[in-house]
Amino acid sequence: MAKFSISQSHISHSDNSDISIKEVIYLLRRHLPLLTVITSSIFLISILYTLIQIPTYTSTTMVVIEDKSQTGSMFDFGLENNLSLTNTMNNEIELLKSRTLSEEVVNDLWYSPNRNNLFLYGSKCYKPEGIKKPVRGLWNSIFNRKSNEIFYAQNIEISDSLFFKAAATIRNNMSVTNERNSNILKISMTSNDPDESSLLANTVARLYQQRDMEWSAGEIVNLRRFLHSQAMQIEAELHLVEDSLRQFQEREQIFELEGNAKQLLDQLGQIDTKYKSALAEINIIRERRRFIDSKLSQEEKTLKDQLLNTIDTRLLALRTEIAQTEANLVRNASTYGDGHEAVLSDRRKLIRLKSNLEEQTNQLIAGGTSVADPLKYRQALIDTSLFLESRLANFQSMAIEYKKIVNQYNRQLNTLPAKSVQFAQLERGRSVLAETYSLMRQKFEEARITEASQLGKIRIIDPAIPPFSRTSPNTKVNLAVGLLLGLGLSALAAFLIEQTDNSIKNVSDIERKGLNVLGIIPDISKAIYATKKRNKKRKTPKTPKGHKGTINIARDIKRRIITKEDPRAPISEAYRSLRTSITYASIDSPTKTIIVTSPGPGEGKTTTITNLAITFANIGKRTLLVDADLRRPVIHRIFNLNIEPGVTHYLTGFPRDIRPLIKQTEIKNLQVITAGATPPDPSVLISSKRMHEFIKSLEIGWDIILFDAPPAIAVTDTSLLAKDINQLIIVVKSGQTDKFAFDRTIQMFESVNAPIAGVIMNAVSPKTSYESYYYYNEYYHYYGKDKN
């Protein structure tokens, strides 16, 4: 009794951390076959997947995107790089992943000597070696897959389907990353061949660099041509003006102006030169804008106009202030000279305002032109066009103010004599054209130098080389993932099974109904196995002729009498502990008659009551075991007794003397009354008056009387018997008895006021109840050490 109480206390009062560990161990042991099957299957699949997978290799080349904003000329030739570094790098990454670039790579490799030996075109096939060969051959035969070996002639055109398929393969197998938010890009290409992966990576980088050079040089070439034509036109005009001035001087003999007229002419020449220079800048910007717009589609032009309108609206006040400051600067410079404090103040203010305008313009462009595909929407070109619009507005504002001052000086000049005015106009035209021609020649030479040194902004740092190791399959990773996935799926399956399992597995499932757990009986199969090991040298008796099956069944049933076969087994001690619990369950009113039942069939009630009866007999109590299961009696087979006469004979008119019904067993102090012939309606007999008399008559001659009753949930026999019995004990089988059936059984007995003494938890094992597993181990290790 002490040992049982200690174990029960250990089960009921374990701390939460121990319970969680027990639950894990219980689930693992209970579902070990499921865990093994699922984990092994997934692990095997991962092995097969690794074997059939074609190896891939990845090569990487590294390029740097140079910032040309510090090395550009006064024209800022090429595309402006005033956008943030992040936006620029994102644009370059999209350029590399674009459809057009991948198609250029396909065309370039098609006309190379390598095209007849590339996975890209299907002209090379994978040839497995070692164990992979038969495994992959089996895989291909199962799924009817064949290797496509295609060899191309040298002068045929690539088909559209192969072309687009190869281009898509390049885009799918390409990876472009920005190295730590710097201006360095890593271009990685994956292929089934290490040499092919490096070839693809280097081809992509080379064509990417080549395209950048073509884009950058295109604008410079166009601008150089424009500057050359403008310089030639101004030179022609200058020659005409010089001829006209020389003829005028020879005819009128006026070679220079004197006094205020000369000073006025010098000032007018300076302002007019600045005015013409501003007009020249305007023409240059317009030409650059025209060239860029010619590269844009109509949809892109519409996008640019929309962005420009947005920028103009948001920055109108700032541009107006800049224009006003420009006007003040021009007026003050013409009036007071370039070194005056007012002029210097205006210049500082103008620099600050223009810096603010450029910063806000960059922000608006960066936020408004981020698109998914720069080749469809050539974002850098649009950005440059928008910046040119901003610069054009500044020069137009300056030109307007210079024009106003020129008009003022012209009005003053017209007050001079007619010949002096004509001389001044010719001299001013010559001077202005000479300065403008000099400016255009300077810009033309700069354009030539820039064109000659144009290398683009893309530099290849590290060309790709064939990798030494494959990228996939990664055997270790695949096997680890397969193992983890198998464990995860099996754990999930075990969890789902546990969630859907409504059977009684824990003591708490019984105690929540307010019932006592009288005993916990371990799985009898383990006790039988232990007994077999001790008796393995004994010879099994042969089955007599004519008894085929009957003796075998009887022998199998006899093996459930573990308290007789192996009294030292842990399960025998569990039955003795159960006997003690029943004996002291009600000390005030000693128990004489006990009925044992279960919610459903196959839950071990007959095995339990049989072994319990033996334990009572072993302590010297006169014990009577009555088979009250009139529907499917078993007791007579356990003890190898005749079923007749029995209980039904007494209830159907057999003489009231019960002595002929009593059968002696091999066990001292244990007698049995079998069920007798099976009646057509057992419930009528059990509910009869003679059944009441039968029970009362049995109480005279024995110390303890045990009734084996049928399952309670199926029939009402047990409820009818319970009204004449001292104690009713319910046997539940761990991991089998349904909770709903158990609840229904309790409700049924409570409705007839049956004397429920408690519940016996039967057939517990590590696979059916994690709580009782520890209880079972205490007994097993304590008693199992004694082999005698």
Side-chain angles (χ1 to χ4, degrees):
M1 180 64 184
K3 180 173 289 295
F4 176 80
S5 301
I6 292 173
S7 301
Q8 187 70 9
S9 174
H10 171 73
I11 294 171
S12 302
H13 302 288
S14 298
D15 59 275
N16 291 337
S17 62
D18 288 343
I19 289 295
S20 61
I21 294 174
K22 293 175 186 178
E23 288 177 350
V24 172
I25 296 175
Y26 160 70
L27 285 174
L28 291 177
R29 292 180 64 89
R30 176 178 171 83
H31 300 289
L32 185 59
L34 178 66
L35 292 172
T36 303
V37 170
I38 295 180
T39 304
S40 301
S41 299
I42 299 298
F43 189 72
L44 179 61
I45 291 174
S46 68
I47 295 176
L48 293 176
Y49 173 76
T50 302
L51 292 176
I52 65 173
Q53 192 177 11
I54 299 178
T56 60
Y57 302 85
T58 301
S59 295
T60 301
T61 181
M62 189 179 298
V63 300
V64 61
I65 313 298
E66 292 187 345
D67 184 4
K68 300 180 64 180
S69 59
Q70 299 179 355
T71 59
S73 69
M74 61 186 299
F75 292 108
D76 293 324
F77 290 117
L79 304 179
E80 270 72 2
N81 294 295
N82 294 320
L83 293 176
S84 64
L85 178 62
T86 301
N87 192 38
T88 301
M89 291 299 105
N90 290 338
N91 292 342
E92 298 300 330
I93 290 174
E94 294 301 328
L95 281 167
L96 283 163
K97 293 182 177 180
S98 64
R99 175 181 53 82
T100 307
L101 184 60
S102 64
E103 291 176 354
E104 289 181 2
V105 173
V106 173
N107 275 326
D108 185 85
L109 293 177
W110 179 258
Y111 295 103
S112 71
N114 301 296
R115 76 171 185 183
N116 292 327
N117 191 33
L118 292 177
F119 284 97
L120 180 66
Y121 300 127
S123 56
K124 185 177 183 179
C125 62
Y126 172 65
K127 296 179 180 180
E129 299 177 353
I131 191 174
K132 292 185 177 182
K133 186 173 183 180
V135 173
R136 187 161 183 83
L138 178 62
W139 175 268
N140 290 336
S141 63
I142 292 175
F143 293 95
N144 196 24
R145 300 177 60 179
K146 297 180 179 179
S147 300
N148 294 323
E149 298 188 27
I150 306 174
F151 297 93
Y152 299 96
Q154 291 294 320
N155 298 314
I156 63 172
E157 295 295 331
I158 185 173
S159 65
D160 290 341
S161 60
L162 181 59
F163 178 83
F164 291 119
K165 181 180 179 181
T169 300
I170 291 175
R171 291 196 302 275
N172 295 334
N173 294 337
M174 182 191 304
S175 173
V176 184
T177 57
N178 183 207
E179 184 68 16
R180 294 187 299 275
N181 293 324
S182 65
N183 58 343
I184 295 177
L185 296 179
K186 286 185 176 180
I187 307 171
S188 300
M189 287 297 304
T190 301
S191 176
N192 300 123
D193 180 75
D195 294 327
E196 184 173 339
S197 66
S198 61
L199 175 64
L200 292 175
N202 288 327
T203 303
V204 169
R206 174 172 56 81
L207 294 181
Y208 170 55
Q209 183 184 42
Q210 179 179 323
R211 163 171 288 191
D212 174 73
M213 293 175 60
E214 291 174 354
W215 282 7
S216 299
E219 182 185 358
I220 297 173
V221 172
N222 180 77
L223 188 58
R224 176 184 57 77
R225 293 172 181 173
F226 173 76
L227 291 172
H228 182 263
S229 64
Q230 290 291 304
M232 296 296 294
Q233 182 179 347
I234 293 173
E235 184 180 17
E237 293 178 3
L238 178 60
H239 289 323
L240 291 176
V241 171
E242 288 177 342
D243 290 341
S244 299
L245 177 61
R246 184 175 62 255
Q247 293 174 7
F248 178 80
Q249 288 176 328
E250 292 175 353
R251 185 175 65 252
E252 302 294 340
Q253 293 298 308
I254 299 177
F255 297 98
E256 63 178 352
L257 297 177
E258 297 180 355
N260 293 334
K262 185 177 184 307
Q263 182 180 1
L264 180 63
L265 180 61
D266 291 340
Q267 292 176 348
L268 176 58
Q270 294 176 3
I271 297 300
D272 203 9
T273 298
K274 292 180 180 180
Y275 171 64
K276 295 297 184 181
S277 296
L279 293 180
E281 292 286 358
I282 291 173
N283 290 334
I284 292 173
I285 291 175
R286 284 176 175 170
E287 177 60 23
R288 294 183 65 192
R289 185 184 63 180
R290 183 200 64 77
F291 175 80
I292 292 174
D293 288 347
S294 68
K295 301 298 181 181
L296 301 176
S297 65
Q298 186 59 45
E299 186 178 6
E300 293 164 345
K301 291 178 182 178
T302 303
L303 173 62
K304 186 201 73 171
D305 293 339
Q306 292 174 352
L307 294 172
L308 185 61
N309 292 334
T310 301
I311 293 173
D312 289 339
T313 302
R314 296 186 180 183
L315 303 180
L316 178 61
L318 186 58
R319 286 185 172 178
T320 302
E321 187 176 1
I322 290 175
Q324 184 63 39
T325 305
E326 288 272 14
N328 293 336
L329 176 62
V330 171
R331 286 194 297 269
N332 291 332
S334 62
T335 304
Y336 306 113
D338 292 338
H340 194 271
E341 180 62 29
V343 176
L344 297 178
S345 177
D346 287 339
R347 283 178 176 170
R348 287 193 296 269
K349 181 179 179 181
L350 188 62
I351 292 173
R352 185 177 67 257
L353 291 174
K354 286 185 176 181
S355 177
N356 190 14
L357 176 64
E358 183 178 7
E359 180 180 355
Q360 294 191 30
T361 302
N362 289 342
Q363 293 177 357
L364 290 174
I365 292 176
T369 62
S370 181
V371 293
D373 189 350
L375 286 177
K376 184 177 180 182
Y377 298 100
R378 285 177 284 278
Q379 182 173 322
L381 294 176
I382 296 176
D383 295 345
T384 302
S385 181
L386 293 175
F387 277 109
L388 290 178
E389 293 287 352
S390 176
R391 295 184 60 188
L392 178 62
N394 292 336
F395 279 111
Q396 286 176 338
S397 176
M398 292 173 57
I400 291 173
E401 295 303 323
Y402 283 129
K403 180 62 176 176
K404 291 179 181 179
I405 297 175
V406 168
N407 292 337
Q408 287 181 350
Y409 281 114
N410 282 332
R411 286 192 294 269
Q412 295 179 22
L413 192 63
N414 288 335
T415 60
L416 298 176
K419 291 184 180 180
S420 297
V421 171
Q422 187 175 2
F423 176 79
Q425 290 175 345
L426 291 173
E427 177 62 26
R428 184 191 67 183
R430 184 199 64 79
S431 176
V432 170
L433 286 173
E435 290 291 337
T436 304
Y437 176 74
S438 176
L439 175 65
M440 299 303 291
R441 288 296 304 180
Q442 177 185 351
K443 292 183 178 293
F444 171 72
E445 292 300 327
E446 288 182 357
R448 288 182 58 190
I449 294 173
T450 304
E451 179 184 0
S453 60
Q454 184 64 36
L455 297 176
K457 64 178 182 297
I458 309 301
R459 298 288 182 273
I460 299 176
I461 303 175
D462 291 330
I465 59 175
F468 294 103
S469 59
R470 66 189 184 193
T471 306
S472 67
N474 190 322
T475 304
K476 294 181 179 179
V477 172
N478 287 351
L479 297 184
V481 169
L483 181 61
L484 293 177
L485 183 61
L487 291 174
L489 291 178
S490 59
L492 178 61
F495 173 77
L496 293 176
I497 292 174
E498 286 296 316
Q499 290 297 105
T500 56
D501 186 4
N502 197 45
S503 63
I504 293 177
K505 295 183 288 293
N506 304 320
V507 173
S508 57
D509 294 335
I510 299 172
E511 291 179 338
R512 67 183 176 82
K513 301 297 293 183
L515 300 174
N516 296 325
V517 179
L518 298 175
I520 298 178
I521 310 299
D523 188 0
I524 196 171
S525 61
K526 293 185 177 296
I528 293 174
Y529 175 75
T531 302
K532 283 182 178 180
K533 287 183 65 177
R534 282 190 289 269
N535 299 328
K536 62 181 180 179
K537 293 183 179 181
R538 298 180 183 177
K539 295 183 179 180
T540 303
K542 296 182 180 180
T543 303
K545 294 182 179 181
H547 293 83
K548 185 177 180 181
T550 304
I551 299 300
N552 291 335
I553 295 174
R555 187 183 305 120
D556 292 338
I557 294 176
K558 276 186 175 182
R559 285 175 179 172
R560 291 187 290 184
I561 312 177
I562 191 67
T563 51
K564 176 179 177 296
E565 297 291 331
D566 193 357
R568 295 180 179 276
I571 192 171
S572 298
E573 179 62 24
Y575 281 116
R576 287 191 286 270
S577 180
L578 172 62
R579 176 196 64 197
T580 305
S581 298
I582 295 173
T583 302
Y584 292 99
S586 56
I587 300 176
D588 296 335
S589 56
T591 300
K592 190 147 193 172
T593 55
I594 300 173
I595 186 171
V596 178
T597 185
S598 62
E603 295 175 348
K605 64 176 181 61
T606 301
T607 300
T608 300
I609 197 173
T610 302
N611 286 281
L612 184 60
I614 293 174
T615 59
F616 274 111
N618 287 339
I619 61 174
K621 286 201 173 189
R622 293 174 298 166
T623 306
L624 179 63
L625 178 59
V626 181
D627 193 349
D629 188 351
L630 305 183
R631 300 175 184 270
R632 297 187 64 182
V634 179
I635 296 295
H636 66 284
R637 294 165 61 186
I638 293 178
F639 293 96
N640 199 20
L641 302 173
N642 292 325
I643 194 172
E644 298 180 3
V647 176
T648 56
H649 293 78
Y650 181 88
L651 298 180
T652 55
F654 199 79
R656 293 183 182 274
D657 187 4
I658 62 173
R659 286 178 296 179
L661 305 179
I662 299 170
K663 299 177 178 63
Q664 189 64 45
T665 66
E666 299 176 358
I667 300 169
K668 185 180 180 181
N669 297 324
L670 177 60
Q671 295 175 314
V672 174
I673 297 179
T674 58
T678 303
D681 192 354
S683 298
V684 175
L685 296 179
I686 290 175
S687 61
S688 66
K689 185 178 180 180
R690 294 205 67 175
M691 187 65 186
H692 175 74
E693 295 174 355
F694 176 68
I695 295 174
K696 292 300 181 182
S697 63
L698 295 178
E699 294 178 356
I700 299 174
W702 287 272
D703 297 324
I704 191 78
I705 307 167
L706 302 173
F707 292 86
D708 183 19
I713 200 67
V715 294
T716 61
D717 298 5
T718 305
S719 299
L720 297 175
L721 279 171
K723 59 184 179 180
D724 295 323
I725 303 300
N726 298 137
Q727 285 188 4
L728 184 143
I729 298 175
I730 303 172
V731 176
V732 296
K733 188 173 184 179
S734 177
Q736 176 176 318
T737 302
D738 187 79
K739 292 179 182 178
F740 294 120
F742 178 69
D743 292 344
R744 175 62 182 158
T745 300
I746 300 302
Q747 293 173 4
M748 182 177 62
F749 286 143
E750 289 178 347
S751 65
V752 297
N753 296 320
I756 303 176
V759 179
I760 299 172
M761 196 168 182
N762 185 41
V764 298
S765 69
K767 295 184 179 181
T768 59
S769 176
Y770 71 90
E771 291 181 351
S772 303
Y773 166 69
Y774 296 96
Y775 169 76
Y776 172 80
N777 265 359
E778 287 182 17
Y779 279 95
Y780 182 80
H781 290 295
Y782 184 78
Y783 290 97
K785 293 178 181 179
D786 188 0
K787 299 180 180 180
N788 297 323

